[in-house]
Amino acid sequence: MDWDKLRIFHAVADAGSLTHAGDTLHLSQSAVSRQIRALEEALNTTLFHRHARGLILTEQGELLFDATRAMVKRLDAATARIRDSEEEVFGELRVTTTTGFGTLWLAPRLRALYDKYPELKIDLMLEERVLDLPMREADVAIRMKEPSQADLIRKRLMGVRMRLYASPEYLDRAGVPETIADLRDHRLICQNVGATQVGAGASLVKELLSHDIPSLLTVNNYFGVLQGVLHHLGIGVLPDYVTQDFPNLQRVLPEVESGEIPVFLAFPEELRQSKRIAAFRDFVQEEIIAYRKQVKNQAVE
């Protein structure tokens, strides 16, 4: 197939419009239309249904679009590797992680990475959905479980546990619970059991809610839970790493915690030599070493 025609087809399928694709490709609408017709003739099939609302892919068009999408992602990966300097770290790095870890732990620490590599452009994608790294939906991921895909390089970073925390102001006002049963006299702030979250966190919440706690605030991410705790609304279920940046929070019912949640860093095998990946990996490892030292010092105190 003609590579140039495939490139134009991909732009049209992605944009859903000859005009928008032409703007992206710096071609006239008529030139784009001619190339699409020529490709359809070469394949002896129809790739688009023409509607007043725009263009809709046919079944054959969907098959071809899946192929060109995979090609584009592979080319992006190759381009990223080619552009990686042997001495400098620059360009875009797409990082994905969960909303909680990204907002509460990673984002506040990125200044150290930017100070060292000011020309780095980080696209931080925070969502619970696991993005497909081999298909180039992201370059590197930090996830709360070991990745299952075989063609990924992975490294275990640390373990996290969900625990109960409250502000000193709230505890001064409402009292300190001594048993789980005492939580009935408090407001619990947590994620809903049905919300997307790590299994160990959901199990802990389910156990707590079995004690018929009458006052409850549920939020769909840990950043929201933390805001409720910081504003003295109640006792929150939070990851233990929040104590590094919010040392005034008091742990409640120290015997209550989730099972350990492993935190993994992963990236595609094909990006093994990427300077950007190496810089990000080293930065995260250095921050975790600092975090562990602080936790150890707090335990000694």
Side-chain angles (χ1 to χ4, degrees):
M1 274 185 249
D2 188 314
W3 289 99
D4 197 49
K5 288 183 175 63
L6 288 176
R7 177 179 65 90
I8 293 172
F9 162 79
H10 182 81
V12 174
D14 192 47
S17 161
L18 294 172
T19 302
H20 291 159
D23 292 341
T24 301
L25 298 168
H26 304 293
L27 294 172
S28 67
Q29 179 179 339
S30 59
V32 173
S33 181
R34 283 196 302 272
Q35 293 294 323
I36 295 299
R37 282 199 304 272
L39 181 60
E40 289 178 326
E41 290 172 2
L43 294 173
N44 193 29
T45 191
T46 300
L47 298 172
F48 294 98
H49 293 303
R50 276 76 172 174
H51 288 277
R53 298 188 305 274
L55 299 177
I56 300 174
L57 286 165
T58 63
E59 183 178 352
Q60 293 79 9
E62 290 281 4
L63 288 172
L64 186 59
F65 188 42
D66 286 343
T68 59
R69 189 159 41 202
M71 290 163 53
V72 167
K73 288 178 178 178
R74 287 288 185 180
L75 287 170
D76 286 345
T79 301
R81 290 181 58 187
I82 292 169
R83 288 180 177 172
D84 272 335
S85 167
E86 294 183 357
E87 299 178 356
E88 297 181 30
V89 175
F90 62 92
E92 183 181 56
L93 180 68
R94 296 173 297 167
V95 179
T96 180
T97 189
T98 60
T99 303
F101 192 84
T103 56
L104 300 181
W105 194 90
L106 181 58
R109 289 165 174 76
L110 286 177
R111 178 178 174 180
L113 184 61
Y114 279 118
D115 285 347
K116 193 170 183 179
Y117 305 109
E119 295 185 11
L120 194 60
K121 299 174 183 177
I122 298 173
D123 181 7
L124 188 56
M125 296 174 281
L126 305 181
E127 53 183 295
E128 307 312 311
R129 182 174 70 91
V130 177
L131 300 187
D132 192 328
L133 298 184
M135 288 301 292
R136 303 292 288 121
E137 288 187 325
D139 300 313
V140 59
I142 298 178
R143 284 294 170 192
M144 306 301 115
K145 64 178 181 179
E146 184 171 5
S148 58
Q149 291 170 299
D151 49 352
L152 294 179
I153 296 173
R154 78 236 23 229
K155 179 176 178 58
R156 193 180 193 277
L157 298 174
M158 62 179 181
V160 172
R161 292 183 187 272
M162 306 304 298
R163 293 170 173 167
L164 296 174
Y165 296 96
S167 69
E169 291 88 341
Y170 172 80
L171 294 175
D172 286 344
R173 184 179 77 243
V176 179
E178 297 182 0
T179 67
I180 291 184
D182 292 340
L183 290 177
R184 287 195 292 264
D185 300 323
H186 294 267
R187 181 176 299 109
L188 184 67
I189 310 172
C190 61
Q191 289 206 55
N192 188 291
V193 174
T196 303
Q197 59 183 308
V198 292
S203 296
L204 177 59
V205 169
K206 188 178 297 185
E207 163 63 20
L208 294 171
L209 294 180
S210 70
H211 292 273
D212 297 323
I213 299 172
S215 187
L216 185 67
L217 171 63
T218 57
V219 189
N220 66 349
N221 60 66
Y222 293 122
F223 180 77
V225 174
L226 176 64
Q227 294 306 304
V229 172
L230 292 176
H231 288 83
H232 326 305
L233 291 178
I235 298 172
V237 179
L238 287 165
D240 54 12
Y241 55 73
V242 300
T243 56
Q244 184 179 16
D245 293 330
F246 301 93
N248 290 333
L249 292 182
Q250 291 184 210
R251 187 174 177 188
V252 177
L253 299 174
E255 72 279 7
V256 176
E257 64 180 14
S258 74
E260 187 176 63
I261 303 159
V263 180
F264 281 85
L265 181 144
F267 55 90
E269 172 72 34
E270 63 193 26
L271 293 181
R272 179 187 289 274
Q273 303 302 321
S274 168
K275 302 301 179 185
R276 293 190 298 273
I277 296 286
F280 182 77
R281 178 199 61 211
D282 294 346
F283 149 74
V284 170
Q285 290 177 333
E286 289 167 4
E287 291 295 329
I288 286 176
I289 290 172
Y291 164 70
R292 286 173 175 161
K293 286 182 179 178
Q294 183 174 348
V295 170
K296 186 177 180 179
N297 293 337
Q298 288 174 344
V300 171
E301 294 172 1

Coordinates of all heavy atoms in Angstrom, one line a residue, residues 12 25 36 73 87 111 120-122 130 170 180 195 224 271 285 288 296:
V12 N -7.6 11.4 8.3 CA -9.1 11.6 8.1 C -9.9 10.8 9.1 O -10.9 11.3 9.7 CB -9.4 11.2 6.6 CG1 -11.0 11.2 6.4 CG2 -8.8 12.1 5.6
L25 N -2.9 18.3 7.8 CA -1.8 17.8 6.9 C -1.4 19.0 6.0 O -0.5 18.8 5.1 CB -2.4 16.7 6.0 CG -2.9 15.5 6.7 CD1 -3.7 14.6 5.8 CD2 -1.6 14.7 7.2
I36 N -8.1 9.7 -0.7 CA -8.9 8.7 -0.1 C -9.6 7.8 -1.1 O -9.7 6.6 -1.0 CB -10.0 9.3 0.8 CG1 -9.3 10.0 2.0 CG2 -11.0 8.3 1.3 CD1 -8.5 9.1 2.9
K73 N 1.6 4.5 16.6 CA 2.2 4.4 17.9 C 3.6 3.8 17.9 O 4.5 4.2 18.7 CB 1.3 3.6 18.8 CG 0.0 4.3 19.2 CD -1.0 3.5 20.0 CE -2.2 4.3 20.4 NZ -3.2 3.5 21.2
E87 N 23.4 12.7 25.9 CA 23.9 13.5 27.0 C 22.8 14.3 27.6 O 23.0 14.8 28.7 CB 25.0 14.4 26.5 CG 26.2 13.6 25.9 CD 27.3 14.5 25.4 OE1 27.1 15.8 25.4 OE2 28.4 14.1 25.0
R111 N 9.0 19.0 41.0 CA 9.9 20.1 40.9 C 11.4 19.7 40.8 O 12.2 20.2 40.1 CB 9.7 21.1 42.0 CG 10.7 22.3 42.0 CD 10.5 23.3 43.1 NE 11.5 24.3 43.1 CZ 11.6 25.3 43.9 NH1 10.6 25.4 44.9 NH2 12.5 26.2 43.9
L120 N 12.5 19.1 29.9 CA 11.6 17.9 29.9 C 10.1 18.4 29.9 O 9.7 19.3 30.6 CB 11.8 17.0 31.1 CG 11.3 15.6 31.1 CD1 11.8 14.8 29.9 CD2 11.6 14.9 32.4
K121 N 9.3 17.7 29.1 CA 7.9 18.0 29.0 C 7.1 16.8 29.5 O 7.1 15.8 28.8 CB 7.4 18.4 27.6 CG 8.2 19.6 27.0 CD 7.8 19.8 25.6 CE 8.6 21.0 25.0 NZ 8.3 21.2 23.5
I122 N 6.5 16.9 30.7 CA 5.8 15.8 31.2 C 4.3 15.9 31.0 O 3.7 16.9 31.4 CB 6.1 15.6 32.8 CG1 7.6 15.4 33.0 CG2 5.3 14.5 33.4 CD1 8.0 15.4 34.4
V130 N -6.0 1.3 33.5 CA -4.7 0.9 33.2 C -4.4 1.1 31.7 O -5.0 0.4 30.8 CB -4.4 -0.6 33.5 CG1 -3.0 -1.0 33.1 CG2 -4.7 -0.8 35.0
Y170 N -10.0 17.8 64.7 CA -11.2 17.0 64.7 C -11.2 16.1 65.9 O -12.3 15.9 66.6 CB -11.3 16.1 63.4 CG -12.4 15.1 63.5 CD1 -13.7 15.4 63.2 CD2 -12.1 13.8 63.9 CE1 -14.7 14.5 63.3 CE2 -13.2 12.8 64.0 CZ -14.5 13.2 63.7 OH -15.5 12.3 63.9
I180 N -12.8 -0.2 67.0 CA -13.5 0.0 65.7 C -15.0 0.3 66.0 O -15.6 1.1 65.3 CB -13.4 -1.3 64.8 CG1 -12.0 -1.4 64.3 CG2 -14.3 -1.2 63.6 CD1 -11.8 -2.6 63.4
A195 N -16.4 2.0 44.1 CA -15.5 2.9 43.3 C -14.2 2.1 42.8 O -13.8 1.2 43.5 CB -15.1 4.1 44.0
G224 N -9.7 13.8 47.3 CA -10.9 14.3 48.0 C -11.0 13.8 49.4 O -11.5 14.6 50.3
L271 N 11.7 0.9 25.1 CA 12.1 2.2 25.6 C 13.2 2.0 26.6 O 13.6 2.9 27.4 CB 11.0 3.0 26.2 CG 9.9 3.5 25.2 CD1 8.8 4.2 25.9 CD2 10.5 4.3 24.1
Q285 N 13.1 6.8 42.2 CA 13.8 6.0 43.1 C 14.5 6.8 44.2 O 14.5 6.5 45.4 CB 14.9 5.1 42.4 CG 14.2 4.0 41.6 CD 15.3 3.2 40.8 OE1 16.4 3.7 40.5 NE2 15.0 1.9 40.5
I288 N 11.8 8.0 46.6 CA 11.4 6.9 47.5 C 12.4 6.6 48.6 O 12.0 6.3 49.7 CB 11.0 5.7 46.7 CG1 9.7 5.9 45.9 CG2 10.9 4.4 47.5 CD1 9.3 4.8 45.0
K296 N 11.5 6.0 58.5 CA 12.4 5.4 59.5 C 12.7 6.3 60.7 O 12.6 6.0 61.8 CB 13.7 4.9 58.9 CG 14.5 4.1 59.8 CD 15.8 3.6 59.0 CE 16.7 2.8 60.0 NZ 17.9 2.2 59.2

